[in-house]
Amino acid sequence: MAVLDFDYMLGLIPILLGYLPLTLELAGIGMVLALILACLLAVVRVLAIPVINHFAIVFISFFRGTPLLVQLFLFYYGLPQLFSSLTVIGGVTATILGLTLHFSSYMAESIRAAIIGVDRSQTEAALSIGMTNGQLMRRIVLPQATRVALPTLMNYFIDIIKATSLAFTLGVTELMGATQKEAAGSFLYFEAFIVAAVIYWIVVELLSKLQHYLEARLNKAYSR
Amino acid sequence: MIELKSLSKHFGSTVVLENIDLHIEKGEIVVIIGPSGTGKSTLLRCINFLEQPTAGTLTVGDLTVDVNRASRANILAMRRRTAFVFQNYALFANKTALENIAERWLVVDRWPKEKAHRKAREILDRIGLADKADAYPASMSGGQQQRVGIGRAMATGAEVILFDEPTSSLDPEWVEEVLGLMKQLAKERQTMMVVTHEMSFARDVADRVIFIDGGRIVEQGPPSEIFHNPQDPRTKDFLKKILTTNPV
């Protein structure tokens, strides 16, 4: 068995870390947009708003039912073919679009379940003191649903971070793309990808820490 | 002043309330009794549109609404003139006792937070829970939660507070403190409609007792008449049953 080239690995760390900001940017923007879209979809589904509800059902079904990679290729290569004004849709834009639509469909379902789980009598209590539907969602239902949905949402956030690695197939040089290039130059594939794997791992671990902190905070109101 | 004219509620083909006519004066304490499943709770829920009534008109204060033509704005306005106390308290689990009470002022009346919280503390004082301002519902006893529920209703400044079996979910040890608070409100001549099986409360506090059976008002009058000289056989039958298990 060949010996690992540790010096190469050490030298690679700062180089690859230089591409981490782009990975985090893809993941961060994807998360925020997916969360906003998921909340809208979930509310549409819960209130069964006519017409849009059916649109939401089909939307969720499609984006949950097809591979993310297929969706990314569809946006990156397919959209410019349909709309000539989009002669170039950047790899970054296509990735963010794909991550947003794909993960919002999953997140919408867990947010919907969490909303339904909020005790119905609290909804009536909010209406009885004269709140509008919007006020009751914002002040009473969503804060409590957030607590229930948080662990699953954090899982999707972790998935999003890892899914950004697919952006390299669209020619985006993020952490995965940079690793691929480095490895192709040095032929030290194992060293390069183990460094990349550990970087992803550490980022995800930090996110898990954040999750525990948030859960503890949100559960404060519910402990006896 | 509250007035119901020919108020009806159907669930599909089931008639739950039929042509209820009722006039309640400001400051009047009305207790509604009757067998389970005869529309008592539905009557209260129709008055603040937690249930959409099927037909009739409803007046609370200066607002009269034909329930079939009630717009969203009408329903909201009607809800803001009435307050509701729930059997299972229904406190907002994500808010403290203080915040549960202040919520109406913060969100509906858009008061500044400082003023809403100051007024909420006054209510906490009146319901005897000043020391529980920062407690969340999960950490309070049933009796304390229901007192906060009543405090939240008081904060609405509504024309009428509707009590839907406010002590039915409580362990016996907490019933008295909740009834005590309700008696205090009655003394202050807060208009109240109370659905309850607490016959002693009805006897001691009510100005009028209404007996409902099968979705209709069968009999009504001062407690002394209803309890000691009921006219309708159904009233007699009901009182005989309930007074043996729940003596006045």
PDB file of all heavy atoms in Angstrom, chain B residues 201-217:
ATOM      1  N   PHE B 201     -72.675  27.351  40.981  1.00  0.00           N
ATOM      2  CA  PHE B 201     -72.309  28.639  40.370  1.00  0.00           C
ATOM      3  C   PHE B 201     -73.544  29.263  39.734  1.00  0.00           C
ATOM      4  O   PHE B 201     -73.826  30.450  39.916  1.00  0.00           O
ATOM      5  CB  PHE B 201     -71.213  28.433  39.316  1.00  0.00           C
ATOM      6  CG  PHE B 201     -70.807  29.700  38.608  1.00  0.00           C
ATOM      7  CD1 PHE B 201     -69.889  30.565  39.174  1.00  0.00           C
ATOM      8  CD2 PHE B 201     -71.362  30.036  37.381  1.00  0.00           C
ATOM      9  CE1 PHE B 201     -69.517  31.743  38.537  1.00  0.00           C
ATOM     10  CE2 PHE B 201     -71.000  31.204  36.725  1.00  0.00           C
ATOM     11  CZ  PHE B 201     -70.073  32.060  37.312  1.00  0.00           C
ATOM     12  N   ALA B 202     -74.311  28.444  39.015  1.00  0.00           N
ATOM     13  CA  ALA B 202     -75.535  28.940  38.372  1.00  0.00           C
ATOM     14  C   ALA B 202     -76.482  29.525  39.423  1.00  0.00           C
ATOM     15  O   ALA B 202     -77.030  30.613  39.260  1.00  0.00           O
ATOM     16  CB  ALA B 202     -76.219  27.814  37.600  1.00  0.00           C
ATOM     17  N   ARG B 203     -76.649  28.804  40.512  1.00  0.00           N
ATOM     18  CA  ARG B 203     -77.594  29.245  41.542  1.00  0.00           C
ATOM     19  C   ARG B 203     -77.137  30.537  42.220  1.00  0.00           C
ATOM     20  O   ARG B 203     -77.897  31.462  42.421  1.00  0.00           O
ATOM     21  CB  ARG B 203     -77.745  28.139  42.594  1.00  0.00           C
ATOM     22  CG  ARG B 203     -78.824  28.415  43.631  1.00  0.00           C
ATOM     23  CD  ARG B 203     -78.588  27.571  44.858  1.00  0.00           C
ATOM     24  NE  ARG B 203     -77.244  27.814  45.407  1.00  0.00           N
ATOM     25  CZ  ARG B 203     -76.679  27.044  46.315  1.00  0.00           C
ATOM     26  NH1 ARG B 203     -77.286  25.960  46.764  1.00  0.00           N
ATOM     27  NH2 ARG B 203     -75.470  27.342  46.782  1.00  0.00           N
ATOM     28  N   ASP B 204     -75.828  30.612  42.518  1.00  0.00           N
ATOM     29  CA  ASP B 204     -75.341  31.749  43.304  1.00  0.00           C
ATOM     30  C   ASP B 204     -75.080  32.987  42.474  1.00  0.00           C
ATOM     31  O   ASP B 204     -75.168  34.103  42.968  1.00  0.00           O
ATOM     32  CB  ASP B 204     -74.023  31.374  44.010  1.00  0.00           C
ATOM     33  CG  ASP B 204     -74.212  30.236  44.996  1.00  0.00           C
ATOM     34  OD1 ASP B 204     -75.379  29.972  45.345  1.00  0.00           O
ATOM     35  OD2 ASP B 204     -73.210  29.624  45.384  1.00  0.00           O
ATOM     36  N   VAL B 205     -74.710  32.825  41.214  1.00  0.00           N
ATOM     37  CA  VAL B 205     -74.174  33.954  40.464  1.00  0.00           C
ATOM     38  C   VAL B 205     -75.088  34.416  39.326  1.00  0.00           C
ATOM     39  O   VAL B 205     -75.147  35.597  39.013  1.00  0.00           O
ATOM     40  CB  VAL B 205     -72.772  33.603  39.896  1.00  0.00           C
ATOM     41  CG1 VAL B 205     -72.187  34.787  39.131  1.00  0.00           C
ATOM     42  CG2 VAL B 205     -71.831  33.197  41.023  1.00  0.00           C
ATOM     43  N   ALA B 206     -75.809  33.473  38.715  1.00  0.00           N
ATOM     44  CA  ALA B 206     -76.553  33.829  37.505  1.00  0.00           C
ATOM     45  C   ALA B 206     -77.715  34.767  37.793  1.00  0.00           C
ATOM     46  O   ALA B 206     -78.358  34.686  38.836  1.00  0.00           O
ATOM     47  CB  ALA B 206     -77.084  32.568  36.835  1.00  0.00           C
ATOM     48  N   ASP B 207     -77.930  35.704  36.851  1.00  0.00           N
ATOM     49  CA  ASP B 207     -79.167  36.466  36.863  1.00  0.00           C
ATOM     50  C   ASP B 207     -80.268  35.652  36.186  1.00  0.00           C
ATOM     51  O   ASP B 207     -81.433  35.792  36.482  1.00  0.00           O
ATOM     52  CB  ASP B 207     -78.993  37.784  36.082  1.00  0.00           C
ATOM     53  CG  ASP B 207     -77.937  38.660  36.724  1.00  0.00           C
ATOM     54  OD1 ASP B 207     -77.987  38.841  37.962  1.00  0.00           O
ATOM     55  OD2 ASP B 207     -77.039  39.134  36.002  1.00  0.00           O
ATOM     56  N   ARG B 208     -79.821  34.850  35.230  1.00  0.00           N
ATOM     57  CA  ARG B 208     -80.789  34.068  34.458  1.00  0.00           C
ATOM     58  C   ARG B 208     -80.163  32.727  34.099  1.00  0.00           C
ATOM     59  O   ARG B 208     -78.976  32.672  33.762  1.00  0.00           O
ATOM     60  CB  ARG B 208     -81.155  34.827  33.179  1.00  0.00           C
ATOM     61  CG  ARG B 208     -82.151  34.076  32.342  1.00  0.00           C
ATOM     62  CD  ARG B 208     -82.798  34.888  31.236  1.00  0.00           C
ATOM     63  NE  ARG B 208     -82.052  36.028  30.736  1.00  0.00           N
ATOM     64  CZ  ARG B 208     -82.088  36.420  29.450  1.00  0.00           C
ATOM     65  NH1 ARG B 208     -82.807  35.752  28.568  1.00  0.00           N
ATOM     66  NH2 ARG B 208     -81.418  37.484  29.050  1.00  0.00           N
ATOM     67  N   VAL B 209     -80.960  31.682  34.191  1.00  0.00           N
ATOM     68  CA  VAL B 209     -80.509  30.355  33.775  1.00  0.00           C
ATOM     69  C   VAL B 209     -81.329  29.956  32.558  1.00  0.00           C
ATOM     70  O   VAL B 209     -82.548  30.141  32.529  1.00  0.00           O
ATOM     71  CB  VAL B 209     -80.684  29.321  34.910  1.00  0.00           C
ATOM     72  CG1 VAL B 209     -80.337  27.915  34.418  1.00  0.00           C
ATOM     73  CG2 VAL B 209     -79.826  29.697  36.107  1.00  0.00           C
ATOM     74  N   ILE B 210     -80.615  29.479  31.536  1.00  0.00           N
ATOM     75  CA  ILE B 210     -81.292  29.043  30.316  1.00  0.00           C
ATOM     76  C   ILE B 210     -81.078  27.549  30.168  1.00  0.00           C
ATOM     77  O   ILE B 210     -79.941  27.079  30.226  1.00  0.00           O
ATOM     78  CB  ILE B 210     -80.718  29.783  29.085  1.00  0.00           C
ATOM     79  CG1 ILE B 210     -81.002  31.280  29.219  1.00  0.00           C
ATOM     80  CG2 ILE B 210     -81.293  29.224  27.798  1.00  0.00           C
ATOM     81  CD1 ILE B 210     -80.406  32.108  28.099  1.00  0.00           C
ATOM     82  N   PHE B 211     -82.177  26.815  29.987  1.00  0.00           N
ATOM     83  CA  PHE B 211     -82.063  25.374  29.779  1.00  0.00           C
ATOM     84  C   PHE B 211     -82.259  25.075  28.295  1.00  0.00           C
ATOM     85  O   PHE B 211     -83.273  25.445  27.701  1.00  0.00           O
ATOM     86  CB  PHE B 211     -83.095  24.626  30.622  1.00  0.00           C
ATOM     87  CG  PHE B 211     -83.101  23.140  30.364  1.00  0.00           C
ATOM     88  CD1 PHE B 211     -82.058  22.340  30.818  1.00  0.00           C
ATOM     89  CD2 PHE B 211     -84.134  22.542  29.651  1.00  0.00           C
ATOM     90  CE1 PHE B 211     -82.050  20.973  30.565  1.00  0.00           C
ATOM     91  CE2 PHE B 211     -84.129  21.168  29.399  1.00  0.00           C
ATOM     92  CZ  PHE B 211     -83.084  20.383  29.860  1.00  0.00           C
ATOM     93  N   ILE B 212     -81.239  24.459  27.705  1.00  0.00           N
ATOM     94  CA  ILE B 212     -81.296  24.134  26.273  1.00  0.00           C
ATOM     95  C   ILE B 212     -81.331  22.627  26.110  1.00  0.00           C
ATOM     96  O   ILE B 212     -80.598  21.896  26.781  1.00  0.00           O
ATOM     97  CB  ILE B 212     -80.054  24.702  25.537  1.00  0.00           C
ATOM     98  CG1 ILE B 212     -80.116  26.225  25.491  1.00  0.00           C
ATOM     99  CG2 ILE B 212     -79.970  24.148  24.117  1.00  0.00           C
ATOM    100  CD1 ILE B 212     -79.033  26.852  24.646  1.00  0.00           C
ATOM    101  N   ASP B 213     -82.223  22.166  25.238  1.00  0.00           N
ATOM    102  CA  ASP B 213     -82.249  20.744  24.899  1.00  0.00           C
ATOM    103  C   ASP B 213     -82.647  20.615  23.438  1.00  0.00           C
ATOM    104  O   ASP B 213     -83.516  21.347  22.954  1.00  0.00           O
ATOM    105  CB  ASP B 213     -83.246  20.002  25.812  1.00  0.00           C
ATOM    106  CG  ASP B 213     -83.071  18.486  25.706  1.00  0.00           C
ATOM    107  OD1 ASP B 213     -82.047  18.037  25.160  1.00  0.00           O
ATOM    108  OD2 ASP B 213     -83.960  17.754  26.169  1.00  0.00           O
ATOM    109  N   GLY B 214     -81.976  19.732  22.730  1.00  0.00           N
ATOM    110  CA  GLY B 214     -82.303  19.495  21.325  1.00  0.00           C
ATOM    111  C   GLY B 214     -82.182  20.736  20.466  1.00  0.00           C
ATOM    112  O   GLY B 214     -82.915  20.911  19.498  1.00  0.00           O
ATOM    113  N   GLY B 215     -81.222  21.627  20.803  1.00  0.00           N
ATOM    114  CA  GLY B 215     -80.982  22.794  19.964  1.00  0.00           C
ATOM    115  C   GLY B 215     -81.989  23.917  20.146  1.00  0.00           C
ATOM    116  O   GLY B 215     -82.021  24.869  19.362  1.00  0.00           O
ATOM    117  N   ARG B 216     -82.852  23.813  21.163  1.00  0.00           N
ATOM    118  CA  ARG B 216     -83.830  24.876  21.401  1.00  0.00           C
ATOM    119  C   ARG B 216     -83.776  25.325  22.857  1.00  0.00           C
ATOM    120  O   ARG B 216     -83.400  24.541  23.735  1.00  0.00           O
ATOM    121  CB  ARG B 216     -85.259  24.369  21.155  1.00  0.00           C
ATOM    122  CG  ARG B 216     -85.575  24.060  19.723  1.00  0.00           C
ATOM    123  CD  ARG B 216     -86.880  23.265  19.685  1.00  0.00           C
ATOM    124  NE  ARG B 216     -87.249  22.973  18.304  1.00  0.00           N
ATOM    125  CZ  ARG B 216     -87.932  23.813  17.534  1.00  0.00           C
ATOM    126  NH1 ARG B 216     -88.333  24.977  18.013  1.00  0.00           N
ATOM    127  NH2 ARG B 216     -88.217  23.487  16.298  1.00  0.00           N
ATOM    128  N   ILE B 217     -84.187  26.578  23.097  1.00  0.00           N
ATOM    129  CA  ILE B 217     -84.331  27.041  24.473  1.00  0.00           C
ATOM    130  C   ILE B 217     -85.646  26.482  24.995  1.00  0.00           C
ATOM    131  O   ILE B 217     -86.722  26.803  24.478  1.00  0.00           O
ATOM    132  CB  ILE B 217     -84.322  28.578  24.549  1.00  0.00           C
ATOM    133  CG1 ILE B 217     -82.949  29.101  24.128  1.00  0.00           C
ATOM    134  CG2 ILE B 217     -84.661  29.034  25.964  1.00  0.00           C
ATOM    135  CD1 ILE B 217     -82.831  30.614  24.122  1.00  0.00           C
TER     136      ILE B 217
END
